C-alpha cells in the first residue's frame, strides 16, 4: 500500500493569510484527492488532482480559495487562501490504488491540522 | 446523491464486550465499502475493504459485512479493548455522477469508547 506524508502536520495561522500543504507519496499514482474534515464532522472531498490537468473541484469549493498543484505523479499541494476561522479543519491527502471494481482502495495521509485565529 | 449514515453516533462499552457498528447508504450502485479508524486529531487508517461482490471481510477481531441490495454494512468488533477507542468511519466508493472518476462518500462516524 502507498505511504503518504504531509507537511506541515499542524499549523496555527492568522486570518487573511494563506497556507500551502504538501502531500508526498512513495509511489507514482494517477489520482490524488484532497479532503477537509471540519471539527466534529466527517470528511468532505474538496477536489481531485490528476497530473497534467487542472484539478476537478466538488460543489462548494473553488480554485481561487483552494488552488491545487500536481507537478508530478508523486506530489501535490493544496493552498488554503485568505483564511478565516471557518477554515480551521484537518486537511487530508489521499491516493487510490487498484482498478475500480476490482481491488480499488484509497489510502490517506496523516492529515494537516489547521487552526485559524 | 449518495448519502451515508452511521448508527450509533457514539458508543461506550466496558472492556471485553462484543459490539456492532452500523452503516447504511442510499445508492446501492457502489464499487466497494471501506471501514476506517481515526484517532483524535489524526489521519485515517483503513481497517477493512469489502468489494461490491463480497459479503464480508475479516481481520483479527474485526468482521465487516455488506448487504449491497439493502444498502447496509456492519462492523463487528469482538472482545473490545481500550485501545479500540477511536472514531470509526464508513465510506462507500461509487461513480461521481457524470465524471470519469469515482469518489468516496463518508458517514459521520461512530465515536467508540471502551473503558477498562
Amino acid at each position: 500500500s502507498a505511504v503518504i506524508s504531509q507537511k506541515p502536520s499542524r499549523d496555527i495561522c492568522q486570518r487573511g493569510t494563506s497556507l500551502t500543504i504538501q502531500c508526498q507519496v512513495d509511489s507514482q499514482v494517477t489520482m490524488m484527492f484532497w479532503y477537509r474534515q471540519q471539527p466534529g464532522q466527517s470528511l468532505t472531498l474538496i477536489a481531485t488532482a490528476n497530473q497534467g490537468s487542472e484539478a476537478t473541484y466538488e460543489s462548494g469549493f473553488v480554485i481561487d480559495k483552494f488552488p491545487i498543484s500536481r507537478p508530478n505523479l508523486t506530489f501535490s499541494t493544496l493552498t488554503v487562501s485568505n483564511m478565516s476561522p471557518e477554515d480551521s479543519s484537518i486537511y487530508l491527502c489521499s491516493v487510490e490504488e487498484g482498478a475500480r471494481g476490482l481491488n480499488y482502495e484509497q489510502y490517506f495521509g496523516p492529515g494537516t491540522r489547521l487552526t485559524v485565529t | 446523491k449518495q448519502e451515508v449514515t452511521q448508527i450509533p453516533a457514539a458508543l461506550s462499552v466496558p472492556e471485553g464486550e462484543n459490539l456492532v457498528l452500523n452503516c447504511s447508504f442510499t445508492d446501492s450502485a457502489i464499487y466497494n465499502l471501506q471501514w476506517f479508524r481515526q484517532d483524535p486529531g489524526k489521519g485515517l487508517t483503513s481497517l477493512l475493504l469489502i468489494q461490491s461482490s463480497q459479503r464480508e471481510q475479516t481481520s483479527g477481531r474485526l468482521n465487516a459485512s455488506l448487504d449491497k441490495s439493502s444498502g447496509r454494512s456492519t462492523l463487528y468488533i469482538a472482545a473490545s479493548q481500550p485501545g479500540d477507542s477511536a472514531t470509526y468511519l464508513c465510506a462507500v466508493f461509487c461513480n461521481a455522477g457524470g465524471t470519469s472518476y469515482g469518489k468516496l462518500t463518508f458517514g459521520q462516524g461512530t465515536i467508540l469508547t471502551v473503558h477498562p
Side-chain angles (χ1 to χ4, degrees):
Chain A
S1 62
V3 177
I4 306 169
S5 60
Q6 286 185 232
K7 289 182 181 180
S9 59
R10 57 174 57 215
D11 207 342
I12 300 173
C13 302
Q14 291 190 343
R15 68 174 66 209
T17 63
S18 298
L19 175 71
T20 296
I21 302 168
Q22 299 179 5
C23 177
Q24 180 76 52
V25 190
D26 69 343
S27 58
Q28 294 186 339
V29 294
T30 303
M31 306 281 266
M32 296 180 77
F33 306 86
W34 287 98
Y35 288 82
R36 179 177 74 180
Q37 186 178 31
Q38 294 176 300
Q41 302 296 313
S42 191
L43 280 75
T44 301
L45 180 64
I46 297 173
T48 301
N50 197 353
Q51 195 269 335
S53 62
E54 283 198 6
T56 302
Y57 289 82
E58 295 296 302
S59 175
F61 297 97
V62 295
I63 187 171
D64 289 345
K65 176 67 176 178
F66 297 102
I68 288 172
S69 78
R70 183 78 201 276
N72 57 53
L73 291 173
T74 63
F75 187 79
S76 177
T77 66
L78 170 75
T79 299
V80 186
S81 304
N82 188 24
M83 288 184 285
S84 67
E86 291 71 34
D87 294 319
S88 297
S89 299
I90 298 175
Y91 292 86
L92 297 109
C93 166
S94 79
V95 302
E96 61 179 16
E97 284 191 347
R100 191 181 307 171
L102 297 174
N103 55 347
Y104 182 94
E105 190 166 356
Q106 276 200 10
Y107 298 93
F108 285 79
T112 295
R113 191 181 194 110
L114 171 63
T115 303
V116 184
T117 60
Chain B
K1 177 187 174 185
Q2 179 73 267
E3 293 183 1
V4 181
T5 304
Q6 291 187 244
I7 295 174
L11 183 62
S12 180
V13 300
E15 182 176 6
E17 270 204 10
N18 303 325
L19 56 98
V20 175
L21 308 181
N22 297 289
C23 172
S24 62
F25 47 96
T26 55
D27 185 349
S28 62
I30 65 170
Y31 290 112
N32 61 40
L33 182 146
Q34 274 184 268
W35 282 93
F36 295 90
R37 169 186 171 136
Q38 185 177 32
D39 293 290
K42 303 295 185 181
L44 274 65
T45 300
S46 181
L47 297 173
L48 288 166
L49 168 70
I50 311 177
Q51 300 295 342
S52 61
S53 58
Q54 298 174 324
R55 300 283 293 183
E56 66 176 340
Q57 284 286 333
T58 298
S59 175
R61 294 181 294 108
L62 305 180
N63 175 275
S65 68
L66 173 64
D67 185 342
K68 184 181 166 184
S69 61
S70 68
R72 295 182 181 183
S73 175
T74 61
L75 178 66
Y76 175 82
I77 302 177
S80 58
Q81 304 171 357
D84 294 331
S85 299
T87 297
Y88 290 79
L89 293 161
C90 164
V92 296
F93 178 67
C94 50
N95 269 327
T99 69
S100 61
Y101 61 91
K103 61 181 287 186
L104 275 180
T105 302
F106 283 83
Q108 294 290 92
T110 294
I111 301 172
L112 173 64
T113 304
V114 181
H115 47 89

